[in-house]
Amino acid sequence: MSKAYVLVVDDEPDIRELVREILEDEGYAVATAESADQARSLLRERTPQLVLLDIWMPGDDGISLLREWAQGGVCPFPVVMISGHGTVETAVEATRHGAMDFVEKPLSMGKLLATVEQALNAPDAVAAPAGAPAAVVEPVGRSSAMRDLREQAERLAGTDSWVLISGEPGSGRKCLGRYIHSLSERRSGPLVEVAAGTIAGQSAAHELFGQVRGDQVIPGRLEAAAGGTLILDGAADLDAEAQTRLASAIDAGSFQRVGGSERLSLDVRMIAISRRDLTAEAHAGRFRPDLAYALSVIPLTVPPLREHAEDIPELVVFQVDRLVEREQLGYRRFTVAAQNRLRNHHWPGNVQELHNLVQRLLVLGDGIDIEVGEVEAALTERPAAVGGDSDWPQALALPLREARERFERDYLQRQLQRADGSVAQLARLAGMERTHLYRKLRALGIDPREGGESGGGRA
């Protein structure tokens, strides 16, 4: 498999061919376009993982083309601008519309290659409107349950079979999906995640399959994941129309963008995640049977934390080290008595609950040692996922609007965890209409995709 597919857009034939030759020698798949119109045509056929875009061209200039691609709010692929005589104003405008970097003419091939590699390896380089997935980690634990899980994942990684990962919320299902991708033959391809519960109606079809509006092509998640893996989180919550389209695409091995006529190859490995049994959902008439069978080729279950509690000391060390390194929190260590108390907790929120508790103790506690009494106090607090009740005496001193926002944010975050990140389920729990709920989540800065799990493995 080639490293990545790169589109070079430049009106100078010598530049186009030179860049093509250099990149192909490095193992990249390359297409070239001499104009904005030709670039649009190539985009209808295949979504690149990187675009090298000249600013000054006959017809539409590169900045205008970049602005067109970014109309949805985020450019669906990384773009590096090429310019022989740009200005500071030009650079500022291109950056505002999503350009990642600039290379100047005459081109330095060494700098060009370094820029291409940096752009493709950037955290947000995957062509996914909702941003890049989290870092890949190996499931932590020496218990027989976790050893078996890793062995199954490693065997599955050697195949291209589709996988259905089930388990309780917070158990580390997405972490396992990312781990399988990282070991697979598709690991050099993109890893794209979509939360099925956050999209509905026509927007679900647009999100998965992309759309064509006039000359504008907006790639979807399936297209962005071409050559790689798509993690479909909350598969049971997938909208009925999207279920029909996806089942049809699987059967045909290809799909069309909404509003488009060209068929694109379905070149993805699907890893579906569900808290509900898809076969049971199909029997109950809530899910398409053919899609349920297609997504369930190989079932894999992540055990709840209470079933491998012997791994808790190792998980605690992992979580502490990760939080200290990533969030610059002060280091603290759990005493043996504290670890033993953690081993005997039921953990209804699984690894996610453990992560949140460790984070809270690092942030709020004093001293190097975390004793059993401090753990006991943290475990008996009512909130399992967000700020504790001790915040509310201070909240009562706030203006009404700020206090209400704090309550709404805490309430919706807790309900979102109960709903396992599903906005559809959250709407039912909160008794809110979904359109209003989306607006409220955005206003409060709550990302539904972060309402599931985090940190269930080893980096």
Side-chain angles (χ1 to χ4, degrees), residues 402-419:
E402 292 182 31
R404 184 175 63 243
E405 286 185 358
R406 177 178 291 193
F407 169 77
E408 289 178 340
R409 183 178 294 107
D410 283 359
Y411 171 81
L412 289 173
Q413 284 177 329
R414 295 177 196 182
Q415 297 287 41
L416 188 60
Q417 187 177 44
R418 286 182 60 199

Side-chain angles (χ1 to χ4, degrees), residues 237-316:
D237 294 322
L238 191 62
D239 180 82
E241 180 185 346
Q243 288 183 37
T244 299
R245 282 181 173 269
L246 184 55
S248 176
I250 293 170
D251 184 58
S254 62
F255 64 94
Q256 289 176 289
R257 304 183 187 99
V258 177
S261 57
E262 298 178 51
R263 298 205 68 85
L264 306 174
S265 174
L266 185 66
D267 179 21
V268 299
R269 182 192 200 164
M270 188 83 72
I271 297 180
I273 296 173
S274 179
R275 64 187 181 281
R276 301 199 298 270
D277 186 326
L278 292 187
T279 302
E281 291 292 296
H283 288 159
R286 293 187 293 265
F287 203 84
R288 285 183 63 100
D290 52 350
L291 183 58
Y293 298 140
L295 296 177
S296 309
V297 174
I298 299 181
L300 198 59
T301 302
V302 181
L305 183 54
R306 61 183 172 276
E307 293 184 4
H308 58 108
E310 62 266 42
D311 291 323
I312 286 176
E314 187 177 353
L315 279 164
V316 166

Side-chain angles (χ1 to χ4, degrees), residues 20 28 60 78 92 150 169 188 195 272 303 342 362-363 375 422 426:
R20 180 207 287 271
Y28 297 100
D60 291 336
V92 169
R150 283 194 298 270
S188 59
L342 294 176
L362 293 186
V363 170
V375 167
S422 166
L426 175 60

Side-chain angles (χ1 to χ4, degrees), residues 41-106:
S41 178
L42 289 171
L43 280 170
R44 292 190 190 97
E45 299 172 6
R46 183 179 179 186
T47 301
Q49 289 163 271
L50 174 67
V51 175
L52 300 177
L53 178 60
D54 190 17
I55 292 179
W56 308 109
M57 299 183 295
D60 291 336
D61 61 89
I63 299 293
S64 298
L65 194 57
L66 177 63
R67 187 186 302 116
E68 176 184 307
W69 292 337
Q71 278 186 0
V74 179
C75 191
F77 34 72
V79 176
V80 172
M81 306 303 295
I82 302 174
S83 176
H85 41 86
T87 64
V88 173
E89 291 79 6
T90 304
V92 169
E93 185 175 1
T95 302
R96 190 169 67 246
H97 292 297
M100 295 188 66
D101 208 340
F102 281 80
V103 290
E104 297 178 347
K105 298 177 182 178

Side-chain angles (χ1 to χ4, degrees), residues 133-136 174-183 191 193 231:
V136 173
K174 278 191 289 187
C175 291
L176 183 63
R178 296 169 192 146
Y179 180 61
I180 292 172
H181 170 78
S182 73
L183 299 176
L191 172 61
E193 297 178 14
I231 294 181

